[in-house]
């Protein structure tokens, strides 16, 4: 055999030992396979709005292409986009930043990666409020840090308490990462919820705060969104406020995330980004229009998501064995399936975990949802209601039939 065709032994990097492909992506791939086989699968797993990118934003991207804005952009973002971000923070959050305190990357995930790679040494700890987006812990591990899970109990609205945060802080704690509204729970922090957290951080000046505000514009029932640096200016010098255009403006494929924070951190993140890639020039031009253009569509879509939330929450709470708290924001429900544990499916399968329940829903009832264990808290399951009301009604009806079939 030609030696060039032989497969050499591959040794993966040790840092990947505790990291695998996202379970959410695996569930999506399994659902796609069943769809290819002709099954009528309804996928409620992806964190992606089903709305289209607004027309004015598309037109700005098209204009950028026609006018030749297709070359390498500046490392940390175009001047136009950084100016739009500075104005966004001033207008919506009451926060003042200079352009050199702002960075742009190819999605909010890349922002998190750059920040942790720029700031973590081996053994540094990052406190994560569980349940949390699965990517958080994996990026921390890749960067050499140690994720520290702090369980946020349902009776506390899936929100971190000051007492639990205080207990989790050690001399090795480098960051607290807080996501509001939250993926996966939809929990949002009011100023009254957030103020005790900021008071703890003020007592521990070695702990920095990463505030993931990506779902900022998806808050319901008249709730006022707040972010930590806004309500506690003393924390601003050690806070990185992360955001992006993916969720609010339905621009997931455009891949634009941004953040604002202290200049030394932003400069360190630029060093990391310089060895990867800048955000797409055309996407940046579109993001300028998203931030500077008409904002009425945000209200329209928020109200649509709120109607969907109410539909799903009401349907789930009508099912014996399932209990679902009404989330304040984002586009997810995080429902308990504790009442189903121990029941048996018609084929004899015992529902012994949230993961087993979710496999049962997918394989026998054609509904794809994500187990709470993926997010650090079981037994729950996450539904993304970024889908049509028709699809949501049918999916909830299938879940109800699936639960009735359990004995």
């Amino acid at each position: 055999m030609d030696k060039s065709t032989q497969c050499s032994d591959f040794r993966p990097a040790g840092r990947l030992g505790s990291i695998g492909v996202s379970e959410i992506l695996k569930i999506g791939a399994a659902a796609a396979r069943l769809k290819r086989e002709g099954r009528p699968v309804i996928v409620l797993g992806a964190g992606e709005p089903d709305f289209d990118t607004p027309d004015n934003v598309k037109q700005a991207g098209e204009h950028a292409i026609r006018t030749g804005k297709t070359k390498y952009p500046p490392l940390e973002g175009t001047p136009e986009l950084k100016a739009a971000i500075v104005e966004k923070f001033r207008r919506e959050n009451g926060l003042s930043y200079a352009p050199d305190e702002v960075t742009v990357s190819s999605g909010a995930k890349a922002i998190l990666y750059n920040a942790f790679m720029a700031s973590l040494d081996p053994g540094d700890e990052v406190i994560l409020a569980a349940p949390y987006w699965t990517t958080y812990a994996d990026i921390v591990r890749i960067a050499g840090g140690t994720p520290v899970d702090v369980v946020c109990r349902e009776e506390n609205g899936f929100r971190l308490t000051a007492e639990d945060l205080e207990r989790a802080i050690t001399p090795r704690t480098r960051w607290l990462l807080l996501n509001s509204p939250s993926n996966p729970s939809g929990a949002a922090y009011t100023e009254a919820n957030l103020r005790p957290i900021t008071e703890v951080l003020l007592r521990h000046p070695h702990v920095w705060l990463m505030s993931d505000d990506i779902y900022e514009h998806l808050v319901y029932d008249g709730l006022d969104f707040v972010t930590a640096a806004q309500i506690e200016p003393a924390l601003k010098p050690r806070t990185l406020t992360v955001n992006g255009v993916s969720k609010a403006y339905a621009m997931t494929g455009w891949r634009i995330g941004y953040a604002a924070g202290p200049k030394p951190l932003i400069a360190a993140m630029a060093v990391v980004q310089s060895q990867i890639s800048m955000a797409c020039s055309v996407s940046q031009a579109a993001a300028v229009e998203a931030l500077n253009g008409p904002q009425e569509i945000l209200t329209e879509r928020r109200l649509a998501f709120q109607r969907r939330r109410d539909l799903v929450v009401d349907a789930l709470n009508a099912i014996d064995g399932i209990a679902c708290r009404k989330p304040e924001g984002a586009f997810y429900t995080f429902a308990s399936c504790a009442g189903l544990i121990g029941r048996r499916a018609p084929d004899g399968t015992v529902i012994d975990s949230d993961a087993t329940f979710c496999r049962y829903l997918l394989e026998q009832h054609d509904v794809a949802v994500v187990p709470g264990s993926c997010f650090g808290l079981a037994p729950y399951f996450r539904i993304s209601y970024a889908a049509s009301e028709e699809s949501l009604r049918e999916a909830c009806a299938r879940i109800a039939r699936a639960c009735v079939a359990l004995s």
Side-chain angles (χ1 to χ4, degrees), residues 150-352:
V150 177
V151 172
C152 301
R153 295 172 292 278
E154 185 173 357
E155 55 264 35
N156 294 325
F158 295 119
R159 286 182 286 261
L160 181 66
T161 67
E163 295 76 16
D164 287 342
L165 173 60
E166 186 81 57
R167 282 192 291 268
I169 292 174
T170 75
R172 296 306 304 264
T173 305
R174 188 70 190 273
W175 289 95
L176 163 66
L177 200 170
L178 205 60
N179 177 209
S180 172
S182 161
N183 174 10
S185 72
Y189 291 73
T190 64
E191 181 171 354
N193 301 136
L194 198 53
R195 180 68 68 182
I197 301 296
T198 64
E199 290 173 356
V200 172
L201 294 175
L202 288 175
R203 293 197 294 272
H204 297 276
H206 68 291
V207 181
W208 285 45
L209 173 66
M210 197 175 299
S211 182
D212 183 350
D213 297 355
I214 194 71
Y215 296 98
E216 170 184 4
H217 290 291
L218 297 174
V219 291
Y220 309 125
D221 304 319
L223 185 75
D224 290 327
F225 174 82
V226 293
T227 193
Q230 173 186 12
I231 68 168
E232 183 45 78
L235 280 181
K236 186 168 175 274
R238 51 186 166 109
T239 297
L240 183 71
T241 303
V242 181
N243 214 314
V245 297
S246 293
K247 311 300 184 180
Y249 301 96
M251 294 176 66
T252 50
W254 297 80
R255 308 311 306 134
I256 295 292
Y258 59 84
K263 184 177 177 179
L265 171 61
I266 298 298
M269 291 169 64
V271 174
V272 178
Q273 179 144 299
S274 71
Q275 302 304 325
I276 308 173
S277 185
M278 296 81 80
C280 170
S281 59
V282 174
S283 297
Q284 291 193 60
V288 170
E289 175 60 23
L291 295 177
N292 286 346
Q295 303 295 303
E296 291 80 8
I297 198 168
L298 298 181
T299 299
E300 296 171 12
R301 293 181 174 183
R302 182 177 70 249
L303 292 174
F305 278 127
Q306 182 173 314
R307 288 192 300 271
R308 297 174 183 184
R309 175 203 63 173
D310 294 344
L311 184 162
V312 173
V313 169
D314 290 346
L316 292 177
N317 281 325
I319 300 172
D320 178 52
I322 292 178
C324 185
R325 176 184 178 272
K326 181 177 284 189
E328 294 87 6
F331 42 67
Y332 310 103
T333 60
F334 198 64
S336 170
C337 56
L340 302 174
I341 302 301
R343 298 188 188 183
R344 190 178 300 271
D347 67 354
T349 299
V350 175
I351 307 300
D352 58 1

Side-chain angles (χ1 to χ4, degrees), residues 2 17 100 115 138 157 162 168 184 200 218-219 303-304 317 352 369 388 401 403:
D2 185 347
D100 60 3
D138 287 345
V200 172
L218 297 174
V219 291
L303 292 174
N317 281 325
D352 58 1
V369 298
S388 70
R401 290 194 294 269
C403 293

